[in-house]
Amino acid sequence: MSHIALVTLVVRSYDEAIAFYTGPLGFELAEDTDRGDGTRWVVVRPPGAPEGTGLLLARAKDGEQAARVGSQTGGRVGFFLHTDDFARDHARMTAGGVRFLEEPRHEAYGSVAVFEDLYGNRWDLLEPR
């Protein structure tokens, strides 16, 4: 086993999730395939991420899944987005409307700030030392 390929993120709507991840976060739309049954196979990934690595955006199919949207990690930071220029990406994301929950911190391991995606899932924007 060489790496984790995809992580599923349950979303309310394919199109609103694609717009957020490819807009303010600057991800690439790697795949958007109609599966013929009202569902789609939608993968987004940061620019430069290895082929086959990304987030699978899966629309909630029932009430139980819909209840998990935005709370898939119980309110903890569940996703970690690495950058090679924290100040640049923090400024770009803030200008794009991304909600940061704290001011940037400079820790022994790097520069970091917690932000929420459009559903409230918590992410770290992190430039490792």
Side-chain angles (χ1 to χ4, degrees):
M1 293 177 271
S2 63
H3 68 279
I4 295 172
L6 297 174
V7 173
T8 299
L9 188 65
V10 181
V11 301
R12 282 192 303 254
S13 158
Y14 296 117
D15 293 331
E16 74 179 2
I18 290 168
F20 177 81
Y21 285 98
T22 62
L25 289 195
F27 284 22
E28 300 171 341
L29 180 60
E31 186 173 353
D32 185 356
T33 303
D34 186 334
R35 297 182 64 192
D37 60 357
T39 65
R40 291 156 54 185
W41 185 263
V42 178
V43 177
V44 294
R45 65 174 176 242
E51 184 73 26
T53 300
L55 284 177
L56 175 65
L57 304 177
R59 188 185 68 212
K61 66 179 181 178
D62 58 29
E64 183 177 350
Q65 288 182 9
R68 301 275 193 251
V69 171
S71 183
Q72 294 177 67
T73 60
R76 294 186 57 100
V77 171
F79 307 95
F80 300 82
L81 182 58
H82 282 198
T83 177
D84 61 358
D85 188 333
F86 181 89
R88 175 200 64 212
D89 290 334
H90 183 268
R92 179 185 51 76
M93 291 167 64
T94 299
V98 174
R99 181 171 174 253
F100 280 86
L101 303 179
E102 62 183 12
E103 292 299 315
R105 294 180 282 122
H106 305 287
E107 305 288 351
Y109 55 84
S111 297
V112 63
V114 176
F115 70 92
E116 288 183 335
D117 68 14
L118 74 163
Y119 300 114
N121 294 302
R122 292 182 175 199
W123 292 67
D124 270 358
L125 176 64
L126 175 64
E127 180 180 0
R129 280 203 202 275

